[in-house]
Amino acid sequence: MVIGGDHVEAAGGRMIETLDPATGHVIGHFPAADSGDVDRAVSNSRKALKGDWQSVTPAERGRILNRTAALIRNDADRLARIETLESGKPLREARGDIETAAGYFEYYAGMADKLQGDSIPLGKDFMSFTLHEPVGVTAHIIPWNFPLVTTARGVAPALAAGNTAVVKPAEQTSLTSLILADILEQAGLPKGVCNVITGYGNEAGGPLTAHPDIAHVTFTGSVPTGKTVMKSAADHVASVTLELGGKSPVVVLADADIDAAVEGTLKAIYLNAGQVCSAGSRLVVERSVHAQMMDRLVPRAEALTLGHGLDDPPLGPVISADQLARIDGYVRGAKSRSVKVATGGSIVEVDSMEGGFFFAPTILDDLPIDEVVVQEEIFGPVLCVQIVDSPEEAIAVANGTEFGLVAGIYTRDIARALRFARDVDAGQVFINQFFAGGIATPFGGTKNSGFGREKGLAALASYFQVKCITARI
Ligand code: NAD
């Protein structure tokens, strides 16, 4: 782990194995931190906050972040290969993620010296102004589906605003966060400003979010863990950003550009084998174009071959045996309730990778709103199709789950698209291109998908507090 710039073992000496999900083989080990290690990391980050980091000017903070972006790009090939080996995702997707991670550092580098307050006119006898101060030591709990990019998404704005950070990557995918700690140091970040501790959620993540010196927790992961994190942050009145996944709809209306809708739907559900918090895992389609969409989607899904991420196949494995069993459980449950499986629907063995965690690209058709697979996040390559009879019904169906992360719509009628955007429960809406946007577009949820915003300028709000100073003169 990296604490205070040093590479350290866990005090208890325990290690965790990391696996290649395509083969099930062990590819590395890293330390299993406990609460004593968490204490060390947080007190180090606190010392750095009150010490060296305070005397680095905002412009220099920006230069450090820019150098970090450049160093990530220099090392992109190695980082992408490691990320593919640990997460299973196809190499081109990992390369895209590494470039996006560099992009976050670059984007927030530009903001480091532009976080400025206001002056408030109170009349000639007063002077009043605000300062933007860092919140303090921030904790970053990272999931396994986008390891480096999620780390960069939180750490870059936190550092830009003058905070320090303790990162706890997922126990399945910790290696690139550890490398990032070295890159940040090489870029000139003072020791201790960003510490990375590895370990299990309950042993390392729990003590980190409960630590009284943590001022803000940025969490990405499941709804139950998010609730636990929020409760533990409440005990010491730390603020939280929760990004908890979704069951996001891709709405296709009768007047849509069907070519674009087909491409958008495939990308929405099969990127990273569906293990994406903002995946479009529900296709909500108007009845008159349902058959046309299915005729196009099914053969395209069947053509997606599975393979080792390093060979850059259309689709890689899912992250773990547990995740594979969870996806299989959902699909078996749906089959037992006579749901129509249009394609896929089972675990597959891929040649020469018997120990791998592969699930066939799957489409479940004509599902009622109360079907379990429509309501719950499966987090796998499983598209759930819902048929509607009007644009109004499409909005009701889109809103018919407890989630509200993103929503997409395909239609040539821009007024209709904007009415959908107005009425849908979602933190972001994609019109005629699913996943439109990027680093600069604010991202976050409503309802059980969480709250707080990451990405864009909106993310910075979590990482500074406003102090107002008023003088009688
Ligand atoms: P999780 O929420 O348990 O884990 C996410 C992160 O939280 C990991 O770093 C984990 O170590 C940490 N964590 C776990 N328990 C903790 C605790 N008590 N305190 C602090 N941190 C803790 O998710 P998971 O078990 O890896 O995956 C389960 C499901 O979560 C998936 O099937 C999927 O539905 C969902 N998920 C969503 C996202 C997303 O991007 N929204 C990402 C990963 C998983």
Side-chain angles (χ1 to χ4, degrees):
M1 304 185 289
V2 183
I3 300 180
D6 296 327
H7 290 195
V8 297
E9 303 298 324
R14 287 179 310 128
M15 301 290 278
I16 298 175
E17 288 179 340
T18 179
L19 305 181
D20 173 353
T23 61
H25 295 160
V26 176
I27 53 165
H29 298 80
F30 48 79
D34 62 18
S35 57
D37 300 305
V38 170
D39 263 348
R40 259 197 301 164
V42 175
S43 73
N44 228 282
S45 276
R46 200 171 156 67
K47 214 168 95 200
L49 181 78
K50 300 290 171 200
D52 290 353
W53 194 221
Q54 256 185 350
S55 41
V56 174
T57 63
E60 180 56 16
R61 290 204 298 260
R63 284 191 283 273
I64 291 170
L65 297 187
N66 263 326
R67 286 197 291 269
T68 303
L71 287 165
I72 291 173
R73 289 196 174 107
N74 281 348
D75 214 1
D77 192 53
R78 181 172 73 115
L79 287 164
R81 283 172 180 278
I82 292 172
E83 197 117 308
T84 283
L85 269 175
E86 263 202 318
S87 72
K89 64 178 64 188
L91 194 54
R92 66 182 177 287
E93 292 184 18
R95 288 202 169 108
D97 290 355
I98 303 304
E99 172 51 32
T100 307
Y104 280 120
F105 282 99
E106 198 168 57
Y107 180 84
Y108 290 107
M111 284 309 294
D113 59 355
K114 296 170 194 71
L115 290 170
Q116 55 195 33
D118 299 314
S119 67
I120 297 131
L122 294 178
K124 81 175 197 11
D125 295 333
F126 292 90
M127 255 192 212
S128 185
F129 59 97
T130 58
L131 299 180
H132 284 192
E133 295 184 331
V135 294
V137 184
T138 59
H140 302 260
I141 309 278
I142 311 297
W144 41 258
N145 53 342
F146 288 92
L148 188 68
V149 83
T150 312
T151 308
R153 186 170 84 182
V155 167
L159 298 184
N163 302 277
T164 56
V166 179
V167 178
K168 209 297 280 172
E171 49 270 44
Q172 299 85 350
T173 54
S174 290
L175 298 180
T176 50
S177 291
L178 290 167
I179 296 174
L180 177 67
D182 288 344
I183 287 179
L184 283 163
E185 197 187 334
Q186 244 181 298
L189 193 75
K191 288 181 195 303
V193 173
C194 181
N195 295 304
V196 178
I197 50 162
T198 53
Y200 293 110
N202 56 345
E203 295 176 0
L208 178 60
T209 58
H211 200 290
D213 286 339
I214 292 294
H216 179 83
V217 181
T218 296
F219 173 83
T220 305
S222 63
V223 176
T225 309
K227 288 179 181 173
T228 305
V229 164
M230 190 171 167
K231 284 177 192 153
S232 106
D235 280 341
H236 56 107
V237 198
S239 52
V240 287
T241 300
L242 297 180
E243 205 271 87
L244 307 179
K247 194 75 194 182
S248 299
V250 184
V251 171
V252 177
L253 298 184
D255 70 344
D257 172 343
I258 296 295
D259 289 342
V262 166
E263 295 309 321
T265 306
L266 290 167
K267 188 167 180 196
I269 187 59
Y270 297 127
L271 183 82
N272 199 18
Q275 303 165 111
V276 181
C277 48
S278 53
S281 50
R282 294 188 292 140
L283 169 64
V284 178
V285 59
E286 266 197 287
R287 192 174 301 279
S288 61
V289 286
H290 168 251
Q292 200 184 345
M293 281 294 289
M294 293 302 286
D295 287 350
R296 302 276 296 276
L297 286 172
V298 168
R300 290 287 299 278
E302 284 170 354
L304 296 173
T305 51
L306 293 143
H308 196 290
L310 287 179
D311 297 328
D312 216 7
L315 215 65
V318 299
I319 186 73
S320 62
D322 281 354
Q323 192 63 17
L324 187 65
R326 182 185 150 96
I327 298 165
D328 194 44
Y330 272 116
V331 175
R332 278 173 190 270
K335 284 179 181 165
S336 75
R337 295 183 294 274
S338 307
V339 160
K340 185 176 164 207
V341 181
T343 186
S346 56
I347 292 174
V348 278
E349 276 211 359
V350 174
D351 281 351
S352 74
M353 284 179 279
E354 295 77 27
F357 314 128
F358 293 96
F359 200 86
T362 296
I363 303 180
L364 306 177
D365 198 10
D366 195 7
L367 295 163
I369 189 79
D370 58 357
E371 173 49 59
V372 178
V373 293
V374 166
Q375 290 298 327
E376 295 186 12
E377 187 179 42
I378 299 175
F379 230 60
V382 181
L383 179 68
C384 297
V385 180
Q386 298 172 270
I387 305 171
V388 293
D389 286 303
S390 68
E392 293 70 32
E393 190 188 355
I395 294 173
V397 165
N399 287 343
T401 75
E402 63 186 20
F403 294 104
L405 188 55
V406 308
I409 185 164
Y410 285 83
T411 172
R412 288 188 167 93
D413 182 338
I414 192 68
R416 197 165 259 166
L418 291 174
R419 283 198 295 275
F420 173 81
R422 180 192 63 196
D423 295 337
V424 75
D425 300 333
Q428 43 280 298
V429 180
F430 308 129
I431 298 174
N432 290 331
Q433 187 188 316
F434 207 85
F435 294 135
I439 291 164
T441 48
F443 180 79
T446 63
K447 294 161 60 176
N448 273 8
S449 294
F451 56 82
R453 291 294 174 263
E454 298 196 79
K455 301 170 55 171
L457 298 184
L460 289 160
S462 300
Y463 297 112
F464 65 79
Q465 58 204 357
V466 174
K467 180 183 276 177
C468 184
I469 300 162
T470 304
R472 183 169 184 102
I473 54 172

